[in-house]
Amino acid sequence: MNLADLAHPAEEVAPKLLGAVLTHEAPEGTVSITITETEAYSGAADPASHAYRGRTPRNAVMFGPAGHLYVYRSHGLHWCANIVTGTDGIASAVLVRAGRIIEGEDLARKRRGGMAESSRLARGPGNFCQALGITAEHNGAHLLAGASVTLSEGEPVPAALIRVGPRVGVSKAHDWQHRFHLAGDPTVSAYRLSPRAKPSAGA
DNA sequence: AGTAGGATGATCT
DNA sequence: GATCATCCTACTG
């Protein structure tokens, strides 16, 4: 996985991001996390996407070129990070939902409040961002080599381990098979159907 | 200007 | 499984 591979629709890129590594070099230290769970979101055709109703100040980064971070606030407390994919002008992004920490676990644990279990440090999109140290200041950040947040190739992931299923927590188009994760990995978050979920047509 | 509703997570029962 | 903390965005009038 390199930056050029991101120039494709989110649902194509999302499974390929499994096994890739996000690294954040902060003043207090470096944390690297292997991605184990992703979800694809697109634009006008995806009712669950922030970009469904068109471009707004919040979602503008989703419409930009691939290789940037789209960070948004969830429920007033959590930060969630997307990797923007696809073509400039068309909204497309992959939500990073969970990962396995491979560097800087002590710092990640400290950011998470000292919790013990390693497999839960970056489980769930909000927790992932907290462990990696991602906040609003990273919205729009370019994942260039040398930047504070970078994307790099990790260990190859056997295709047989990749699972696909419905997205978590979305109230619209909840049955779209746009969530990808590694089978049997303890760092993957639990599936949860949105209480507002209603049946819908879709891919 | 007002307000409904989150791409969540921790905690309690 | 239910509750709730907490606040921003975007839609409505």
Side-chain angles (χ1 to χ4, degrees), chain A residues 33 99-102 105-106 108-109 112 114-123 127 131 185-188:
Chain A
I33 307 183
R100 182 184 326 113
I101 296 171
I102 56 175
E105 183 173 319
D106 290 344
R109 177 174 285 107
R112 293 277 287 113
M115 73 148 46
E117 286 181 70
S118 301
S119 65
R120 297 167 85 153
L121 288 175
R123 189 166 85 158
N127 292 335
D185 194 303
T187 65
V188 173

Side-chain angles (χ1 to χ4, degrees), chain A residues 14-15 22 34 36 43 56 67 75 81-82 89 99 101 105 109 118-119 121 123 137 139 144-145 158 162 177 197:
Chain A
L22 273 176
T34 298
T36 58
T56 66
H75 290 72
N82 295 247
I101 296 171
E105 183 173 319
R109 177 174 285 107
S118 301
S119 65
L121 288 175
R123 189 166 85 158
E137 70 184 80
N139 187 40
L144 281 172
I162 296 178
Q177 304 289 299

Side-chain angles (χ1 to χ4, degrees), chain A residues 20-32:
Chain A
V21 177
L22 273 176
T23 300
H24 180 204
E25 296 182 39
E28 70 263 31
T30 298
V31 172
S32 292

Side-chain angles (χ1 to χ4, degrees), chain A residues 17 22 35-39 69 80-83 94-99 124-126 128-129:
Chain A
L17 279 171
L22 273 176
I35 298 169
T36 58
E37 180 184 359
T38 60
E39 278 178 5
L69 281 180
C80 297
N82 295 247
I83 295 170
V94 175
L95 172 69
V96 181
R97 287 195 54 88
F128 185 98
C129 281

Side-chain angles (χ1 to χ4, degrees), chain A residues 15 18 156-164 181-183:
Chain A
L18 297 177
V157 168
L161 284 184
I162 296 178
R163 294 288 182 275
V164 59
H181 65 275
L182 296 179

Side-chain angles (χ1 to χ4, degrees), chain A residues 3 48-49 51 56-57 62 74 86 91 107 109-110 118 127 134 161 188:
Chain A
L3 292 184
S49 171
T56 66
M62 265 187 87
S74 172
L107 175 55
R109 177 174 285 107
K110 182 178 151 199
S118 301
N127 292 335
I134 297 297
L161 284 184
V188 173

